[in-house]
């Protein structure tokens, strides 16, 4: 992560995710949150996601952690995510 970022690691559905965050990113009045994971997540096919949230939304790391978990849980309800998980369990011949 770049300068001024705080980071923590969390586990969601057996995936290790590094979360970086910075308040008032570039004096924009927004938090910048970055997710980095070696595996696909329901919010990103590549394992990386950059996300902006209005500055007053959080008071610190615990609230960011709660937000990220809820965000992932909500995105995981998408039928495409369930299909991806099922397909990734099976060998594909074609």
């Amino acid at each position: 992560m770049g300068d001024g970022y705080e980071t923590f690691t969390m586990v969601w559905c057996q995936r290790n995710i590094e979360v970086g965050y910075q308040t008032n990113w570039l004096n924009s009045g927004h938090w910048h949150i970055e997710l980095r994971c070696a595996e696909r997540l329901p919010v990103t096919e590549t394992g990386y996601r950059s996300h902006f949230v209005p500055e007053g939304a959080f008071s610190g790391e615990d609230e960011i952690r709660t937000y990220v978990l809820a965000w992932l849980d909500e995105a995981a309800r998408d039928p495409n995510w369930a299909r991806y998980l099922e397909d990734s369990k099976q060998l594909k011949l074609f």
Side-chain angles (χ1 to χ4, degrees), residues 9-18 34-49 72 81 84-89:
T9 302
M10 58 187 281
V11 177
W12 178 82
C13 292
Q14 300 176 336
R15 287 169 163 75
N16 292 317
I17 304 168
E18 180 182 9
E34 292 183 324
L35 305 182
R36 295 177 190 270
C37 183
E39 300 176 74
R40 183 175 175 173
L41 297 169
V43 297
T44 172
E45 293 182 13
T46 65
Y48 173 81
R49 178 72 186 258
L72 292 168
W81 178 249
Y84 164 75
L85 291 177
E86 189 59 35
D87 288 350
S88 65
K89 291 180 191 175

PDB file of all heavy atoms in Angstrom, residues 9-18 34-49 72 81 84-89:
ATOM      1  N   THR A   9      -5.252  -7.376   7.855  1.00  0.00           N
ATOM      2  CA  THR A   9      -5.595  -8.583   7.114  1.00  0.00           C
ATOM      3  C   THR A   9      -6.816  -9.216   7.749  1.00  0.00           C
ATOM      4  O   THR A   9      -6.944  -9.243   8.971  1.00  0.00           O
ATOM      5  CB  THR A   9      -4.422  -9.579   7.116  1.00  0.00           C
ATOM      6  OG1 THR A   9      -3.274  -8.934   6.554  1.00  0.00           O
ATOM      7  CG2 THR A   9      -4.732 -10.820   6.306  1.00  0.00           C
ATOM      8  N   MET A  10      -7.697  -9.701   6.910  1.00  0.00           N
ATOM      9  CA  MET A  10      -8.890 -10.378   7.408  1.00  0.00           C
ATOM     10  C   MET A  10      -9.125 -11.629   6.568  1.00  0.00           C
ATOM     11  O   MET A  10      -8.560 -11.769   5.483  1.00  0.00           O
ATOM     12  CB  MET A  10     -10.107  -9.448   7.346  1.00  0.00           C
ATOM     13  CG  MET A  10     -10.414  -8.909   5.966  1.00  0.00           C
ATOM     14  SD  MET A  10     -11.719  -7.662   5.946  1.00  0.00           S
ATOM     15  CE  MET A  10     -13.151  -8.664   6.050  1.00  0.00           C
ATOM     16  N   VAL A  11      -9.946 -12.514   7.097  1.00  0.00           N
ATOM     17  CA  VAL A  11     -10.292 -13.740   6.382  1.00  0.00           C
ATOM     18  C   VAL A  11     -11.791 -13.716   6.119  1.00  0.00           C
ATOM     19  O   VAL A  11     -12.589 -13.471   7.025  1.00  0.00           O
ATOM     20  CB  VAL A  11      -9.907 -14.994   7.190  1.00  0.00           C
ATOM     21  CG1 VAL A  11     -10.344 -16.253   6.463  1.00  0.00           C
ATOM     22  CG2 VAL A  11      -8.413 -15.015   7.459  1.00  0.00           C
ATOM     23  N   TRP A  12     -12.136 -13.939   4.871  1.00  0.00           N
ATOM     24  CA  TRP A  12     -13.539 -14.036   4.471  1.00  0.00           C
ATOM     25  C   TRP A  12     -13.669 -15.284   3.609  1.00  0.00           C
ATOM     26  O   TRP A  12     -12.965 -15.426   2.599  1.00  0.00           O
ATOM     27  CB  TRP A  12     -13.976 -12.797   3.684  1.00  0.00           C
ATOM     28  CG  TRP A  12     -15.391 -12.856   3.218  1.00  0.00           C
ATOM     29  CD1 TRP A  12     -16.499 -12.556   3.946  1.00  0.00           C
ATOM     30  CD2 TRP A  12     -15.850 -13.267   1.933  1.00  0.00           C
ATOM     31  NE1 TRP A  12     -17.623 -12.744   3.187  1.00  0.00           N
ATOM     32  CE2 TRP A  12     -17.247 -13.184   1.944  1.00  0.00           C
ATOM     33  CE3 TRP A  12     -15.200 -13.689   0.772  1.00  0.00           C
ATOM     34  CZ2 TRP A  12     -18.020 -13.516   0.846  1.00  0.00           C
ATOM     35  CZ3 TRP A  12     -15.974 -14.028  -0.311  1.00  0.00           C
ATOM     36  CH2 TRP A  12     -17.366 -13.927  -0.273  1.00  0.00           C
ATOM     37  N   CYS A  13     -14.525 -16.208   4.005  1.00  0.00           N
ATOM     38  CA  CYS A  13     -14.762 -17.450   3.255  1.00  0.00           C
ATOM     39  C   CYS A  13     -13.452 -18.131   2.861  1.00  0.00           C
ATOM     40  O   CYS A  13     -13.237 -18.499   1.706  1.00  0.00           O
ATOM     41  CB  CYS A  13     -15.625 -17.179   2.033  1.00  0.00           C
ATOM     42  SG  CYS A  13     -17.315 -16.716   2.451  1.00  0.00           S
ATOM     43  N   GLN A  14     -12.576 -18.267   3.818  1.00  0.00           N
ATOM     44  CA  GLN A  14     -11.286 -18.942   3.662  1.00  0.00           C
ATOM     45  C   GLN A  14     -10.354 -18.232   2.673  1.00  0.00           C
ATOM     46  O   GLN A  14      -9.438 -18.829   2.124  1.00  0.00           O
ATOM     47  CB  GLN A  14     -11.478 -20.400   3.269  1.00  0.00           C
ATOM     48  CG  GLN A  14     -12.272 -21.182   4.292  1.00  0.00           C
ATOM     49  CD  GLN A  14     -12.550 -22.592   3.858  1.00  0.00           C
ATOM     50  OE1 GLN A  14     -12.559 -22.922   2.677  1.00  0.00           O
ATOM     51  NE2 GLN A  14     -12.787 -23.446   4.832  1.00  0.00           N
ATOM     52  N   ARG A  15     -10.583 -16.945   2.476  1.00  0.00           N
ATOM     53  CA  ARG A  15      -9.721 -16.133   1.616  1.00  0.00           C
ATOM     54  C   ARG A  15      -9.056 -15.066   2.480  1.00  0.00           C
ATOM     55  O   ARG A  15      -9.730 -14.339   3.196  1.00  0.00           O
ATOM     56  CB  ARG A  15     -10.536 -15.471   0.507  1.00  0.00           C
ATOM     57  CG  ARG A  15     -10.983 -16.436  -0.568  1.00  0.00           C
ATOM     58  CD  ARG A  15     -12.002 -15.776  -1.479  1.00  0.00           C
ATOM     59  NE  ARG A  15     -12.167 -16.480  -2.720  1.00  0.00           N
ATOM     60  CZ  ARG A  15     -12.811 -17.621  -2.872  1.00  0.00           C
ATOM     61  NH1 ARG A  15     -13.364 -18.198  -1.826  1.00  0.00           N
ATOM     62  NH2 ARG A  15     -12.925 -18.195  -4.052  1.00  0.00           N
ATOM     63  N   ASN A  16      -7.729 -14.987   2.388  1.00  0.00           N
ATOM     64  CA  ASN A  16      -6.994 -13.951   3.111  1.00  0.00           C
ATOM     65  C   ASN A  16      -7.034 -12.667   2.289  1.00  0.00           C
ATOM     66  O   ASN A  16      -6.643 -12.672   1.115  1.00  0.00           O
ATOM     67  CB  ASN A  16      -5.542 -14.371   3.343  1.00  0.00           C
ATOM     68  CG  ASN A  16      -5.447 -15.528   4.304  1.00  0.00           C
ATOM     69  OD1 ASN A  16      -6.135 -15.549   5.312  1.00  0.00           O
ATOM     70  ND2 ASN A  16      -4.605 -16.487   3.991  1.00  0.00           N
ATOM     71  N   ILE A  17      -7.488 -11.610   2.917  1.00  0.00           N
ATOM     72  CA  ILE A  17      -7.634 -10.333   2.228  1.00  0.00           C
ATOM     73  C   ILE A  17      -6.852  -9.267   2.982  1.00  0.00           C
ATOM     74  O   ILE A  17      -7.013  -9.116   4.194  1.00  0.00           O
ATOM     75  CB  ILE A  17      -9.116  -9.916   2.157  1.00  0.00           C
ATOM     76  CG1 ILE A  17      -9.942 -11.008   1.480  1.00  0.00           C
ATOM     77  CG2 ILE A  17      -9.262  -8.578   1.440  1.00  0.00           C
ATOM     78  CD1 ILE A  17     -11.436 -10.817   1.611  1.00  0.00           C
ATOM     79  N   GLU A  18      -6.006  -8.549   2.260  1.00  0.00           N
ATOM     80  CA  GLU A  18      -5.329  -7.397   2.842  1.00  0.00           C
ATOM     81  C   GLU A  18      -6.188  -6.173   2.525  1.00  0.00           C
ATOM     82  O   GLU A  18      -6.542  -5.932   1.364  1.00  0.00           O
ATOM     83  CB  GLU A  18      -3.938  -7.211   2.245  1.00  0.00           C
ATOM     84  CG  GLU A  18      -3.221  -6.019   2.847  1.00  0.00           C
ATOM     85  CD  GLU A  18      -1.852  -5.772   2.228  1.00  0.00           C
ATOM     86  OE1 GLU A  18      -1.511  -6.411   1.224  1.00  0.00           O
ATOM     87  OE2 GLU A  18      -1.142  -4.918   2.765  1.00  0.00           O
ATOM     88  N   GLU A  34      -8.783  -0.235  -0.278  1.00  0.00           N
ATOM     89  CA  GLU A  34      -8.266  -1.173  -1.261  1.00  0.00           C
ATOM     90  C   GLU A  34      -8.333  -2.588  -0.705  1.00  0.00           C
ATOM     91  O   GLU A  34      -7.944  -2.819   0.439  1.00  0.00           O
ATOM     92  CB  GLU A  34      -6.808  -0.863  -1.604  1.00  0.00           C
ATOM     93  CG  GLU A  34      -6.617   0.426  -2.355  1.00  0.00           C
ATOM     94  CD  GLU A  34      -5.173   0.652  -2.742  1.00  0.00           C
ATOM     95  OE1 GLU A  34      -4.259   0.287  -1.972  1.00  0.00           O
ATOM     96  OE2 GLU A  34      -4.968   1.188  -3.831  1.00  0.00           O
ATOM     97  N   LEU A  35      -8.820  -3.503  -1.517  1.00  0.00           N
ATOM     98  CA  LEU A  35      -8.826  -4.927  -1.173  1.00  0.00           C
ATOM     99  C   LEU A  35      -7.812  -5.615  -2.070  1.00  0.00           C
ATOM    100  O   LEU A  35      -7.775  -5.373  -3.282  1.00  0.00           O
ATOM    101  CB  LEU A  35     -10.201  -5.545  -1.412  1.00  0.00           C
ATOM    102  CG  LEU A  35     -11.399  -4.902  -0.738  1.00  0.00           C
ATOM    103  CD1 LEU A  35     -12.659  -5.696  -1.060  1.00  0.00           C
ATOM    104  CD2 LEU A  35     -11.201  -4.789   0.752  1.00  0.00           C
ATOM    105  N   ARG A  36      -7.008  -6.487  -1.468  1.00  0.00           N
ATOM    106  CA  ARG A  36      -6.039  -7.289  -2.224  1.00  0.00           C
ATOM    107  C   ARG A  36      -6.143  -8.730  -1.742  1.00  0.00           C
ATOM    108  O   ARG A  36      -6.034  -8.999  -0.547  1.00  0.00           O
ATOM    109  CB  ARG A  36      -4.621  -6.782  -2.014  1.00  0.00           C
ATOM    110  CG  ARG A  36      -4.396  -5.385  -2.553  1.00  0.00           C
ATOM    111  CD  ARG A  36      -2.972  -4.903  -2.235  1.00  0.00           C
ATOM    112  NE  ARG A  36      -2.813  -3.500  -2.532  1.00  0.00           N
ATOM    113  CZ  ARG A  36      -2.426  -3.018  -3.710  1.00  0.00           C
ATOM    114  NH1 ARG A  36      -2.147  -3.837  -4.692  1.00  0.00           N
ATOM    115  NH2 ARG A  36      -2.312  -1.717  -3.894  1.00  0.00           N
ATOM    116  N   CYS A  37      -6.345  -9.622  -2.694  1.00  0.00           N
ATOM    117  CA  CYS A  37      -6.504 -11.039  -2.376  1.00  0.00           C
ATOM    118  C   CYS A  37      -5.895 -11.851  -3.510  1.00  0.00           C
ATOM    119  O   CYS A  37      -5.986 -11.465  -4.684  1.00  0.00           O
ATOM    120  CB  CYS A  37      -7.994 -11.365  -2.206  1.00  0.00           C
ATOM    121  SG  CYS A  37      -8.326 -13.066  -1.718  1.00  0.00           S
ATOM    122  N   ALA A  38      -5.284 -12.967  -3.181  1.00  0.00           N
ATOM    123  CA  ALA A  38      -4.695 -13.834  -4.206  1.00  0.00           C
ATOM    124  C   ALA A  38      -5.768 -14.556  -5.016  1.00  0.00           C
ATOM    125  O   ALA A  38      -5.479 -15.098  -6.084  1.00  0.00           O
ATOM    126  CB  ALA A  38      -3.755 -14.847  -3.551  1.00  0.00           C
ATOM    127  N   GLU A  39      -6.992 -14.552  -4.511  1.00  0.00           N
ATOM    128  CA  GLU A  39      -8.087 -15.241  -5.186  1.00  0.00           C
ATOM    129  C   GLU A  39      -9.176 -14.251  -5.574  1.00  0.00           C
ATOM    130  O   GLU A  39      -9.254 -13.144  -5.054  1.00  0.00           O
ATOM    131  CB  GLU A  39      -8.681 -16.293  -4.258  1.00  0.00           C
ATOM    132  CG  GLU A  39      -7.701 -17.354  -3.819  1.00  0.00           C
ATOM    133  CD  GLU A  39      -8.322 -18.301  -2.833  1.00  0.00           C
ATOM    134  OE1 GLU A  39      -9.136 -19.129  -3.272  1.00  0.00           O
ATOM    135  OE2 GLU A  39      -8.019 -18.188  -1.637  1.00  0.00           O
ATOM    136  N   ARG A  40     -10.025 -14.700  -6.456  1.00  0.00           N
ATOM    137  CA  ARG A  40     -11.180 -13.900  -6.869  1.00  0.00           C
ATOM    138  C   ARG A  40     -12.101 -13.669  -5.675  1.00  0.00           C
ATOM    139  O   ARG A  40     -12.235 -14.517  -4.800  1.00  0.00           O
ATOM    140  CB  ARG A  40     -11.921 -14.666  -7.968  1.00  0.00           C
ATOM    141  CG  ARG A  40     -13.079 -13.943  -8.552  1.00  0.00           C
ATOM    142  CD  ARG A  40     -13.647 -14.751  -9.703  1.00  0.00           C
ATOM    143  NE  ARG A  40     -14.835 -14.119 -10.213  1.00  0.00           N
ATOM    144  CZ  ARG A  40     -15.472 -14.520 -11.300  1.00  0.00           C
ATOM    145  NH1 ARG A  40     -15.020 -15.561 -11.980  1.00  0.00           N
ATOM    146  NH2 ARG A  40     -16.547 -13.887 -11.713  1.00  0.00           N
ATOM    147  N   LEU A  41     -12.729 -12.512  -5.668  1.00  0.00           N
ATOM    148  CA  LEU A  41     -13.720 -12.158  -4.659  1.00  0.00           C
ATOM    149  C   LEU A  41     -15.023 -11.778  -5.365  1.00  0.00           C
ATOM    150  O   LEU A  41     -15.000 -11.438  -6.555  1.00  0.00           O
ATOM    151  CB  LEU A  41     -13.239 -10.968  -3.823  1.00  0.00           C
ATOM    152  CG  LEU A  41     -11.982 -11.178  -2.985  1.00  0.00           C
ATOM    153  CD1 LEU A  41     -11.487  -9.842  -2.435  1.00  0.00           C
ATOM    154  CD2 LEU A  41     -12.266 -12.151  -1.856  1.00  0.00           C
ATOM    155  N   PRO A  42     -16.142 -11.782  -4.673  1.00  0.00           N
ATOM    156  CA  PRO A  42     -17.393 -11.434  -5.358  1.00  0.00           C
ATOM    157  C   PRO A  42     -17.463  -9.973  -5.809  1.00  0.00           C
ATOM    158  O   PRO A  42     -18.327  -9.629  -6.611  1.00  0.00           O
ATOM    159  CB  PRO A  42     -18.474 -11.744  -4.321  1.00  0.00           C
ATOM    160  CG  PRO A  42     -17.788 -11.745  -3.015  1.00  0.00           C
ATOM    161  CD  PRO A  42     -16.380 -12.181  -3.286  1.00  0.00           C
ATOM    162  N   VAL A  43     -16.551  -9.138  -5.346  1.00  0.00           N
ATOM    163  CA  VAL A  43     -16.525  -7.734  -5.771  1.00  0.00           C
ATOM    164  C   VAL A  43     -15.418  -7.454  -6.788  1.00  0.00           C
ATOM    165  O   VAL A  43     -15.275  -6.322  -7.242  1.00  0.00           O
ATOM    166  CB  VAL A  43     -16.394  -6.770  -4.562  1.00  0.00           C
ATOM    167  CG1 VAL A  43     -17.606  -6.888  -3.648  1.00  0.00           C
ATOM    168  CG2 VAL A  43     -15.109  -7.016  -3.791  1.00  0.00           C
ATOM    169  N   THR A  44     -14.629  -8.479  -7.148  1.00  0.00           N
ATOM    170  CA  THR A  44     -13.553  -8.310  -8.118  1.00  0.00           C
ATOM    171  C   THR A  44     -13.101  -9.657  -8.667  1.00  0.00           C
ATOM    172  O   THR A  44     -12.874 -10.589  -7.904  1.00  0.00           O
ATOM    173  CB  THR A  44     -12.334  -7.580  -7.519  1.00  0.00           C
ATOM    174  OG1 THR A  44     -11.271  -7.619  -8.470  1.00  0.00           O
ATOM    175  CG2 THR A  44     -11.862  -8.183  -6.222  1.00  0.00           C
ATOM    176  N   GLU A  45     -12.949  -9.722  -9.971  1.00  0.00           N
ATOM    177  CA  GLU A  45     -12.461 -10.952 -10.590  1.00  0.00           C
ATOM    178  C   GLU A  45     -10.955 -11.106 -10.449  1.00  0.00           C
ATOM    179  O   GLU A  45     -10.434 -12.202 -10.541  1.00  0.00           O
ATOM    180  CB  GLU A  45     -12.850 -10.991 -12.065  1.00  0.00           C
ATOM    181  CG  GLU A  45     -14.342 -11.122 -12.276  1.00  0.00           C
ATOM    182  CD  GLU A  45     -14.710 -11.213 -13.748  1.00  0.00           C
ATOM    183  OE1 GLU A  45     -13.815 -11.426 -14.593  1.00  0.00           O
ATOM    184  OE2 GLU A  45     -15.898 -11.069 -14.045  1.00  0.00           O
ATOM    185  N   THR A  46     -10.261  -9.997 -10.239  1.00  0.00           N
ATOM    186  CA  THR A  46      -8.796 -10.028 -10.207  1.00  0.00           C
ATOM    187  C   THR A  46      -8.206 -10.168  -8.809  1.00  0.00           C
ATOM    188  O   THR A  46      -7.017 -10.413  -8.669  1.00  0.00           O
ATOM    189  CB  THR A  46      -8.220  -8.742 -10.822  1.00  0.00           C
ATOM    190  OG1 THR A  46      -8.592  -7.633  -9.996  1.00  0.00           O
ATOM    191  CG2 THR A  46      -8.721  -8.538 -12.236  1.00  0.00           C
ATOM    192  N   GLY A  47      -9.023  -9.964  -7.780  1.00  0.00           N
ATOM    193  CA  GLY A  47      -8.509  -9.987  -6.413  1.00  0.00           C
ATOM    194  C   GLY A  47      -8.120  -8.613  -5.906  1.00  0.00           C
ATOM    195  O   GLY A  47      -7.726  -8.460  -4.752  1.00  0.00           O
ATOM    196  N   TYR A  48      -8.214  -7.583  -6.772  1.00  0.00           N
ATOM    197  CA  TYR A  48      -7.928  -6.210  -6.345  1.00  0.00           C
ATOM    198  C   TYR A  48      -9.168  -5.364  -6.574  1.00  0.00           C
ATOM    199  O   TYR A  48      -9.820  -5.456  -7.622  1.00  0.00           O
ATOM    200  CB  TYR A  48      -6.777  -5.599  -7.145  1.00  0.00           C
ATOM    201  CG  TYR A  48      -6.590  -4.128  -6.817  1.00  0.00           C
ATOM    202  CD1 TYR A  48      -5.903  -3.733  -5.681  1.00  0.00           C
ATOM    203  CD2 TYR A  48      -7.150  -3.144  -7.621  1.00  0.00           C
ATOM    204  CE1 TYR A  48      -5.763  -2.393  -5.353  1.00  0.00           C
ATOM    205  CE2 TYR A  48      -7.012  -1.799  -7.309  1.00  0.00           C
ATOM    206  CZ  TYR A  48      -6.328  -1.437  -6.165  1.00  0.00           C
ATOM    207  OH  TYR A  48      -6.201  -0.119  -5.837  1.00  0.00           O
ATOM    208  N   ARG A  49      -9.479  -4.519  -5.593  1.00  0.00           N
ATOM    209  CA  ARG A  49     -10.595  -3.591  -5.739  1.00  0.00           C
ATOM    210  C   ARG A  49     -10.281  -2.301  -5.012  1.00  0.00           C
ATOM    211  O   ARG A  49      -9.830  -2.313  -3.866  1.00  0.00           O
ATOM    212  CB  ARG A  49     -11.875  -4.214  -5.170  1.00  0.00           C
ATOM    213  CG  ARG A  49     -13.105  -3.333  -5.227  1.00  0.00           C
ATOM    214  CD  ARG A  49     -13.626  -3.193  -6.666  1.00  0.00           C
ATOM    215  NE  ARG A  49     -14.705  -2.241  -6.756  1.00  0.00           N
ATOM    216  CZ  ARG A  49     -15.982  -2.556  -6.846  1.00  0.00           C
ATOM    217  NH1 ARG A  49     -16.354  -3.813  -6.866  1.00  0.00           N
ATOM    218  NH2 ARG A  49     -16.885  -1.616  -6.927  1.00  0.00           N
ATOM    219  N   LEU A  72     -18.827  -7.770   1.103  1.00  0.00           N
ATOM    220  CA  LEU A  72     -18.540  -9.070   0.508  1.00  0.00           C
ATOM    221  C   LEU A  72     -19.725 -10.018   0.645  1.00  0.00           C
ATOM    222  O   LEU A  72     -20.075 -10.730  -0.315  1.00  0.00           O
ATOM    223  CB  LEU A  72     -17.286  -9.678   1.139  1.00  0.00           C
ATOM    224  CG  LEU A  72     -15.975  -8.955   0.822  1.00  0.00           C
ATOM    225  CD1 LEU A  72     -14.867  -9.469   1.728  1.00  0.00           C
ATOM    226  CD2 LEU A  72     -15.604  -9.107  -0.641  1.00  0.00           C
ATOM    227  N   TRP A  81     -21.800 -15.420  -8.467  1.00  0.00           N
ATOM    228  CA  TRP A  81     -20.774 -15.825  -7.511  1.00  0.00           C
ATOM    229  C   TRP A  81     -20.966 -17.298  -7.147  1.00  0.00           C
ATOM    230  O   TRP A  81     -20.001 -18.064  -7.116  1.00  0.00           O
ATOM    231  CB  TRP A  81     -20.799 -14.943  -6.264  1.00  0.00           C
ATOM    232  CG  TRP A  81     -19.792 -15.354  -5.241  1.00  0.00           C
ATOM    233  CD1 TRP A  81     -20.046 -15.915  -4.020  1.00  0.00           C
ATOM    234  CD2 TRP A  81     -18.367 -15.272  -5.338  1.00  0.00           C
ATOM    235  NE1 TRP A  81     -18.872 -16.174  -3.361  1.00  0.00           N
ATOM    236  CE2 TRP A  81     -17.827 -15.792  -4.145  1.00  0.00           C
ATOM    237  CE3 TRP A  81     -17.508 -14.806  -6.312  1.00  0.00           C
ATOM    238  CZ2 TRP A  81     -16.458 -15.859  -3.912  1.00  0.00           C
ATOM    239  CZ3 TRP A  81     -16.135 -14.875  -6.078  1.00  0.00           C
ATOM    240  CH2 TRP A  81     -15.628 -15.393  -4.884  1.00  0.00           C
ATOM    241  N   TYR A  84     -19.778 -19.328  -9.994  1.00  0.00           N
ATOM    242  CA  TYR A  84     -18.310 -19.349 -10.036  1.00  0.00           C
ATOM    243  C   TYR A  84     -17.756 -20.359  -9.024  1.00  0.00           C
ATOM    244  O   TYR A  84     -16.862 -21.139  -9.347  1.00  0.00           O
ATOM    245  CB  TYR A  84     -17.742 -17.953  -9.760  1.00  0.00           C
ATOM    246  CG  TYR A  84     -16.282 -17.998  -9.419  1.00  0.00           C
ATOM    247  CD1 TYR A  84     -15.327 -18.204 -10.403  1.00  0.00           C
ATOM    248  CD2 TYR A  84     -15.854 -17.892  -8.098  1.00  0.00           C
ATOM    249  CE1 TYR A  84     -13.977 -18.291 -10.088  1.00  0.00           C
ATOM    250  CE2 TYR A  84     -14.510 -17.972  -7.775  1.00  0.00           C
ATOM    251  CZ  TYR A  84     -13.582 -18.170  -8.772  1.00  0.00           C
ATOM    252  OH  TYR A  84     -12.257 -18.268  -8.453  1.00  0.00           O
ATOM    253  N   LEU A  85     -18.277 -20.321  -7.807  1.00  0.00           N
ATOM    254  CA  LEU A  85     -17.792 -21.254  -6.784  1.00  0.00           C
ATOM    255  C   LEU A  85     -18.039 -22.699  -7.186  1.00  0.00           C
ATOM    256  O   LEU A  85     -17.164 -23.552  -7.011  1.00  0.00           O
ATOM    257  CB  LEU A  85     -18.461 -20.964  -5.438  1.00  0.00           C
ATOM    258  CG  LEU A  85     -18.072 -19.660  -4.755  1.00  0.00           C
ATOM    259  CD1 LEU A  85     -18.883 -19.478  -3.478  1.00  0.00           C
ATOM    260  CD2 LEU A  85     -16.582 -19.597  -4.472  1.00  0.00           C
ATOM    261  N   GLU A  86     -19.198 -22.978  -7.742  1.00  0.00           N
ATOM    262  CA  GLU A  86     -19.521 -24.341  -8.174  1.00  0.00           C
ATOM    263  C   GLU A  86     -18.614 -24.763  -9.332  1.00  0.00           C
ATOM    264  O   GLU A  86     -18.063 -25.861  -9.320  1.00  0.00           O
ATOM    265  CB  GLU A  86     -20.992 -24.422  -8.592  1.00  0.00           C
ATOM    266  CG  GLU A  86     -21.461 -25.825  -8.851  1.00  0.00           C
ATOM    267  CD  GLU A  86     -21.325 -26.758  -7.645  1.00  0.00           C
ATOM    268  OE1 GLU A  86     -21.502 -26.317  -6.491  1.00  0.00           O
ATOM    269  OE2 GLU A  86     -21.033 -27.954  -7.864  1.00  0.00           O
ATOM    270  N   ASP A  87     -18.443 -23.877 -10.304  1.00  0.00           N
ATOM    271  CA  ASP A  87     -17.586 -24.193 -11.451  1.00  0.00           C
ATOM    272  C   ASP A  87     -16.135 -24.394 -11.036  1.00  0.00           C
ATOM    273  O   ASP A  87     -15.429 -25.210 -11.616  1.00  0.00           O
ATOM    274  CB  ASP A  87     -17.654 -23.086 -12.504  1.00  0.00           C
ATOM    275  CG  ASP A  87     -18.969 -23.064 -13.252  1.00  0.00           C
ATOM    276  OD1 ASP A  87     -19.775 -24.013 -13.102  1.00  0.00           O
ATOM    277  OD2 ASP A  87     -19.212 -22.073 -13.972  1.00  0.00           O
ATOM    278  N   SER A  88     -15.681 -23.662 -10.043  1.00  0.00           N
ATOM    279  CA  SER A  88     -14.275 -23.769  -9.634  1.00  0.00           C
ATOM    280  C   SER A  88     -13.990 -25.073  -8.896  1.00  0.00           C
ATOM    281  O   SER A  88     -12.836 -25.459  -8.769  1.00  0.00           O
ATOM    282  CB  SER A  88     -13.868 -22.565  -8.779  1.00  0.00           C
ATOM    283  OG  SER A  88     -14.579 -22.552  -7.561  1.00  0.00           O
ATOM    284  N   LYS A  89     -15.030 -25.761  -8.457  1.00  0.00           N
ATOM    285  CA  LYS A  89     -14.853 -27.053  -7.791  1.00  0.00           C
ATOM    286  C   LYS A  89     -14.682 -28.186  -8.794  1.00  0.00           C
ATOM    287  O   LYS A  89     -14.185 -29.247  -8.462  1.00  0.00           O
ATOM    288  CB  LYS A  89     -16.079 -27.377  -6.921  1.00  0.00           C
ATOM    289  CG  LYS A  89     -16.240 -26.503  -5.725  1.00  0.00           C
ATOM    290  CD  LYS A  89     -17.488 -26.936  -4.972  1.00  0.00           C
ATOM    291  CE  LYS A  89     -17.866 -25.937  -3.912  1.00  0.00           C
ATOM    292  NZ  LYS A  89     -19.142 -26.307  -3.274  1.00  0.00           N
TER     293      LYS A  89
END
